[in-house]
Amino acid sequence: MVQTITNARIVTPTEDFIGTLQIEDECITDISKTSKIYNDAINLNQQWLTPGCIDIHSDYIEKELHPRPSANFPMPFAFHFMDQRAAACGITTLFSAISFSSNEHARRSYEGALSLSKSLDELSESGSIRHYIHSRLDPNSEQVVDYLDAMKEIKSLKIVVVNESIPGQRQFRLEEVIEKRAKILGITVDEYREKVTKEIEEKSKIDKRKEIQEAFEESIPLGSHDDTTVKHVEEGKLYGSSLSEMPTTIEAARKAKELDMWVCMGAPNYYRGGSHCGNLSCADAMKEDLVDMLCSDYHFPTMLSAVIRMINDGISPSKAINYVSLNPAKFLKMDQDLGSIDLGKKADLVAFNSDKGFAQVSHMWVNGRLKFTSSTDSINTSNNITIKKQKEEVQI
């Protein structure tokens, strides 16, 4: 099957232009710079046409499973609507983050994480987009080593990130943690300070980074989450991390780049103009060229919308889209097939307009198949025009 997409503003890794693209079966077979509008083709009316977003860290599955503390939904139901929402936001490859830790307040447990991972593994082939798993492992727990072998059996597991659980050491400062948790538990700040001091002492005695490294280093990329100090980054590198995910300070981001690590930050951080936690601004890190890629973190729509904001801020379309496509593909060693509009690559594509200052997706393809469209009438092909006319005749 051959498809032609015409009158599109095509973005490649190095340039953007008005042109026509052809897909045969699953792959891109022709790219041409031309203002000619072809008949019997999907006419994008000069909308952007880019590679689909590769989102290496999304917390979204928890939102679909537990939208409220007392509201639970079955996994197939949650997976379907997560898949559809991601597709509508131009995400063609999604990594769902699953935390292997014990946290009753956050409804997390090791058994629950393993069960969720297995369910996602089974469902991954049934989605409209590509689905993988990004596991976050707590190195300050004896339990984590009991699950490493089972995790290695999960086919869709492609990233493992160490996520330290010692209170007050990374994303949230200690006094902030004490005040927040004391309020949740209904006890005084002094009472919780005494409690958390013991927790810090106990957790600091446990470090399973070496075991995690030995289990996964030869098979998948390792990362370190919420690096705050130079020591955090050096520790991550020592134990095999090639990724510093969401560094919280400029010093940590600088050290990561000095050590030749990949740096990923949240697209919501860039789109909103800063971190919702008051940590390192993505835009500030970008000014020093310290960021390689963006992830959706907790908000799908900001992936492409951050690209639009970057372009409006003076970043070239190619560089902006590479943050959410080609660079993640390179980090994952998937760039032979995915991540850019190039001849022979898989046709994972997204078309969108930006006239309102954010991305409005009109079409999305995975493996050359149209998986999402905002309206059937928006697909301007001769066949669909005929269908539209037939509908109008029926209505008359």
Side-chain angles (χ1 to χ4, degrees):
M1 177 184 175
V2 178
Q3 299 177 69
T4 303
I5 304 169
T6 194
N7 196 21
R9 187 172 180 181
I10 299 170
V11 182
T12 74
T14 57
E15 59 182 334
D16 62 283
F17 50 85
I18 300 300
T20 292
L21 179 148
Q22 193 169 78
I23 302 168
E24 187 168 353
D25 297 324
E26 298 182 349
C27 298
I28 299 168
T29 54
D30 188 66
I31 307 165
S32 59
K33 297 179 182 179
T34 177
S35 58
K36 179 181 178 180
I37 300 175
Y38 289 80
N39 295 324
D40 298 326
I42 297 175
N43 183 352
L44 290 185
N45 296 306
Q46 300 195 7
Q47 289 186 91
W48 296 98
L49 181 65
T50 73
C53 294
I54 299 174
D55 185 1
I56 72 164
H57 178 137
S58 167
D59 297 332
Y60 202 82
I61 187 61
E62 290 183 343
K63 294 182 181 180
E64 287 290 358
L65 285 167
H66 314 296
R68 291 290 186 273
S70 60
N72 305 313
F73 288 90
M75 184 59 192
F77 180 96
F79 176 84
H80 170 78
F81 285 100
M82 177 183 72
D83 173 81
Q84 294 299 293
R85 293 184 205 279
C89 292
I91 297 168
T92 52
T93 302
L94 177 66
F95 287 74
S96 291
I98 299 177
S99 293
F100 280 76
S101 63
S102 181
N103 186 327
E104 291 183 11
H105 177 69
R107 310 181 73 169
R108 291 173 179 166
S109 68
Y110 287 95
E111 280 300 322
L114 184 60
S115 176
L116 178 56
S117 297
K118 289 179 177 179
S119 295
L120 274 172
D121 205 36
E122 292 171 359
L123 291 165
S124 61
E125 297 295 327
S126 65
S128 61
I129 67 172
R130 303 176 193 277
H131 287 274
Y132 298 104
I133 293 172
H134 164 133
S135 286
R136 301 166 66 181
L137 304 189
D138 179 2
N140 310 112
S141 166
E142 296 286 358
Q143 284 182 276
V144 70
V145 296
D146 297 332
Y147 291 86
L148 299 180
D149 287 340
M151 290 176 64
K152 287 191 286 187
E153 300 300 317
I154 300 169
K155 295 178 182 179
S156 57
L157 177 61
K158 299 296 181 183
I159 303 173
V160 167
V161 170
V162 172
N163 191 11
E164 188 175 272
S165 64
I166 301 173
Q169 303 301 303
R170 298 200 176 221
Q171 181 179 12
F172 300 105
R173 304 301 178 261
L174 185 56
E175 286 305 310
E176 182 183 351
V177 171
I178 290 172
E179 290 180 13
K180 183 177 180 180
R181 292 190 183 176
K183 187 176 181 180
I184 291 171
L185 295 172
I187 60 178
T188 69
V189 167
D190 287 340
E191 286 173 329
Y192 189 74
R193 182 176 286 107
E194 182 179 350
K195 180 181 177 68
V196 80
T197 299
K198 292 180 181 178
E199 183 181 352
I200 291 171
E201 290 175 358
E202 292 171 0
K203 285 182 175 290
S204 297
K205 295 174 184 177
I206 304 169
D207 189 349
K208 299 300 179 184
R209 286 175 173 82
K210 185 64 176 176
E211 288 83 350
I212 293 170
Q213 179 186 13
E214 290 173 349
F216 298 107
E217 187 177 36
E218 298 300 319
S219 55
I220 58 179
L222 296 175
S224 180
H225 187 71
D226 284 344
D227 292 324
T228 301
T229 67
V230 167
K231 182 180 178 181
H232 289 158
V233 179
E234 291 174 336
E235 185 176 56
K237 184 72 173 181
L238 177 65
Y239 290 103
S241 291
S242 59
L243 169 69
S244 178
E245 183 183 51
M246 268 90 81
T248 69
T249 65
I250 197 76
E251 292 79 13
R254 288 170 181 158
K255 191 63 180 180
K257 295 310 297 176
E258 180 186 322
L259 295 177
D260 200 29
M261 295 171 72
W262 293 83
V263 174
C264 176
M265 294 197 71
N269 183 322
Y270 189 90
Y271 187 78
R272 294 178 64 255
S275 163
H276 72 95
C277 301
N279 292 320
L280 175 62
S281 161
C282 180
D284 287 347
M286 281 185 175
K287 288 175 185 176
E288 296 190 28
D289 201 24
L290 300 175
V291 181
D292 298 296
M293 49 193 161
L294 300 182
C295 65
S296 74
D297 194 6
Y298 59 88
H299 199 254
F300 284 158
T302 54
M303 286 287 279
L304 279 180
S305 294
V307 168
I308 297 304
R309 180 145 294 182
M310 280 188 265
I311 293 170
N312 291 339
D313 288 343
I315 296 174
S316 75
S318 293
K319 185 174 182 178
I321 201 68
N322 287 347
Y323 278 116
V324 299
S325 57
L326 183 58
N327 295 351
K330 286 181 176 179
F331 164 68
L332 295 161
K333 295 182 171 53
M334 294 179 172
D335 54 307
Q336 183 175 350
D337 293 318
L338 305 177
S340 61
I341 293 180
D342 278 310
L343 292 178
K345 285 198 174 183
K346 299 289 186 183
D348 283 16
L349 304 168
V350 57
F352 58 95
N353 67 69
S354 58
D355 59 354
K356 293 182 180 178
F358 56 86
Q360 303 164 80
V361 174
S362 64
H363 309 75
M364 191 275 288
W365 295 260
V366 175
N367 277 338
R369 296 186 178 185
L370 187 64
K371 295 292 187 174
F372 171 84
T373 177
S374 59
S375 167
T376 53
D377 288 344
S378 70
I379 307 175
N380 186 7
T381 67
S382 59
N383 287 338
N384 279 290
I385 290 170
T386 301
I387 294 170
K388 183 177 179 181
K389 287 180 179 178
Q390 289 175 346
K391 288 181 180 177
E392 289 171 349
E393 290 170 0
V394 171
Q395 289 173 352
I396 291 172

